[in-house]
Amino acid sequence: MKNFAIFFLFCLGIAGYAVCRADTYVHEEIVYQATIAADGVQHVRIEGGTDFYKPNHVIVKVNVPVEFTASVEWGLIPHTLVIKSPEAGMSVDEKLSSDAKNIRFTPTAVGKYHFYCKNKLLFFKSHREKGMEGMLEVVQ
Ligand SMILES: [Cu+2]
């Protein structure tokens, strides 16, 4: 009987672990290093979905205009792209759709900043928590 109880707890542990794993969103890092195009702008193509942005680590130069051309997977779930770093000249809050949208800004301070989707449905995890988040690294 005792063995059975231990076995039962063991199974419960495995099941619990599996459920937790399924709810843990681990994304590989996809790095994109922007270059300055002939028009003097750093163009970055970004695609998003409920739990990702691709790329999710963007490296740009400071004090050079950046243009994100952003879109999301076709679907009914609305998405956004937010960068709340006014201290570095970036205040972005845009709705995204499956049609690509150009979003321009110029980072004015070196550092690491986040871009993310601010959307959240009721009591579910926010898109940001699910992985709709990336890092914008501004370098010299
Ligand atoms: Cu979203």
Side-chain angles (χ1 to χ4, degrees):
M1 190 60 209
K2 195 182 167 206
N3 279 349
F4 176 77
I6 288 170
F7 180 70
F8 179 74
L9 284 175
F10 178 74
C11 289
L12 208 64
I14 294 284
Y17 178 74
V19 168
C20 284
R21 287 292 304 179
D23 209 27
T24 303
Y25 302 86
V26 179
H27 288 274
E28 60 173 318
E29 191 182 52
I30 302 163
V31 182
Y32 179 74
Q33 168 116 43
T35 53
I36 302 170
D39 61 359
V41 175
Q42 308 179 82
H43 296 273
V44 181
R45 182 75 180 93
I46 293 205
E47 285 178 8
T50 304
D51 57 1
F52 71 92
Y53 281 118
K54 273 182 200 166
N56 55 11
H57 182 171
V58 176
I59 304 167
V60 295
K61 275 203 180 334
V62 69
N63 293 322
V64 178
V66 175
E67 185 176 90
F68 275 9
T69 300
S71 61
V72 288
E73 296 177 314
W74 188 89
L76 297 174
I77 302 169
H79 294 293
T80 59
L81 194 143
V82 175
I83 307 174
K84 262 195 205 147
S85 303
E87 74 280 11
M90 301 181 284
S91 294
V92 172
D93 188 342
E94 299 279 348
K95 286 184 177 142
L96 301 181
S97 75
S98 53
D99 294 325
K101 182 178 208 174
N102 292 334
I103 302 165
R104 278 208 186 207
F105 55 90
T106 302
T108 55
V110 167
K112 289 178 175 175
Y113 309 93
H114 286 107
F115 58 92
Y116 60 91
C117 176
K118 67 178 179 182
N119 291 10
K120 182 181 187 326
L121 181 64
L122 301 172
F123 49 84
F124 293 103
K125 281 190 170 186
S126 70
H127 295 182
R128 185 179 189 178
E129 285 173 306
K130 289 208 244 178
M132 214 175 169
E133 177 179 44
M135 191 213 290
L136 181 69
E137 188 176 350
V138 180
V139 298
Q140 228 7 287

